[in-house]
């Protein structure tokens, strides 16, 4: 697990992007201005999809994306799951790709390579996810549209910044349970598609287990001594 992943905070542009997924973006931003420690439920499918992975496996995927791949979109940790924000349509396509590549099946009685990929929950059209609070006490009002609307390429140094202490109070949840690891910082962040996340999942699985090209030995098979055979 990489030690470089620290909690980071959502910028005003990033908050505007998150809020745009909902029916009432300004109401979401107003809620965050009043309660910057409040998680919010947002719909998937139009602005982003979300692939939810177990925390440990999600960390390995994140490491692969940044160390060997193109980087990631926004990533949050919430209640023991890693939420990887992806391009719309990913939730529908990724499970099919995992099955096609024989990484998504769970029906084998023997320990096979498919056991190395835990179930990935893919949230798309018709689904909703709870996103962590932005942890910002400053204004999160909708900023003026930028001159360029092209998606920004991910950069590790820009996306990950030192954590800002959350507001004091008994109702603030622990950062370890709900936090942004790669916070959205632009109005149109780059989002990986299903092929990129398939690549990351396969490499994360291969880094966790050693895959043998030989079938497991049959413990009940009879062994014959052929050394004296004429």
């Amino acid at each position: 697990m990489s030690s470089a992943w620290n909690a980071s905070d959502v910028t005003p542009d990033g908050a505007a992007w998150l809020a745009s997924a909902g029916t009432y973006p300004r109401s979401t931003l107003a809620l965050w201005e009043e309660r910057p420690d409040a998680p919010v439920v947002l719909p998937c499918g139009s602005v982003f999809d979300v692939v939810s992975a177990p925390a440990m496996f999600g960390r390995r995927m994140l490491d692969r994306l940044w160390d060997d791949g193109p980087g990631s979109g926004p990533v949050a940790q919430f209640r023991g799951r890693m939420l990887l924000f992806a391009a719309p349509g990913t939730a529908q396509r990724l499970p099919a790709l995992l099955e096609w590549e024989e990484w998504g099946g769970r029906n084998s009685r023997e320990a096979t390579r498919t056991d190395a990929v835990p179930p990935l929950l893919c949230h798309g059209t018709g689904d909703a996810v709870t996103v962590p609070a932005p942890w910002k006490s400053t204004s999160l009002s909708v900023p003026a549209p930028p001159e360029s609307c092209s998606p920004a390429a991910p950069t590790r140094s820009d996306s990950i910044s030192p954590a800002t202490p959350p507001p004091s109070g008994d109702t603030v949840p622990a950062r370890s349970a709900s936090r942004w690891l790669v916070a959205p910082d632009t109005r149109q962040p780059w989002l990986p598609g299903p092929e990129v996340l398939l690549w990351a999942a396969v490499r994360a699985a291969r880094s966790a287990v050693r895959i043998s090209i030989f079938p497991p030995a049959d413990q009940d098979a009879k062994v014959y001594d052929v050394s004296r055979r004429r």
Side-chain angles (χ1 to χ4, degrees), residues 30-195:
L31 171 64
W32 274 334
E33 284 204 17
E34 181 179 352
R35 293 187 55 198
D37 61 325
V40 171
V41 178
L42 294 175
C44 302
S46 59
V47 176
F48 53 75
D49 282 0
V50 171
V51 175
S52 173
M56 187 67 70
F57 188 80
R59 282 273 185 159
R60 284 197 286 263
M61 288 182 63
L62 192 55
D63 286 340
R64 298 284 69 77
L65 286 168
W66 281 105
D67 293 343
D68 307 318
S72 72
V75 179
Q77 183 174 330
F78 191 81
R79 292 183 178 177
R81 305 284 298 186
M82 198 75 73
L83 308 180
L84 293 93
F85 285 68
T90 298
Q92 180 179 5
R93 182 65 177 151
L94 181 58
L97 290 177
L98 287 168
E99 290 290 345
W100 178 262
E101 297 291 339
E102 298 183 354
W103 285 91
R106 305 291 296 179
N107 297 324
S108 175
R109 294 182 180 179
E110 300 292 339
T112 65
R113 73 176 190 173
T114 56
D115 293 314
V117 178
L120 301 179
L121 307 180
C122 299
H123 303 287
T125 303
D127 300 326
V129 295
T130 303
V131 302
W135 299 114
K136 285 286 187 181
S137 58
T138 57
S139 175
L140 293 175
S141 300
V142 178
E147 294 181 1
S148 173
C149 292
S150 59
T155 58
R156 189 167 188 168
S157 59
D158 291 340
S159 297
I160 304 173
S161 59
T164 300
S168 60
D170 296 335
T171 60
V172 178
R175 272 186 176 272
S176 59
S178 176
R179 58 179 178 171
W180 288 96
L181 296 181
V182 183
D185 56 2
T186 70
R187 289 179 65 87
Q188 284 192 312
W190 178 81
L191 297 172
E195 293 82 4

Side-chain angles (χ1 to χ4, degrees), residues 189-205:
W190 178 81
L191 297 172
E195 293 82 4
V196 172
L197 292 181
L198 172 68
W199 175 90
V202 169
R203 278 154 182 77

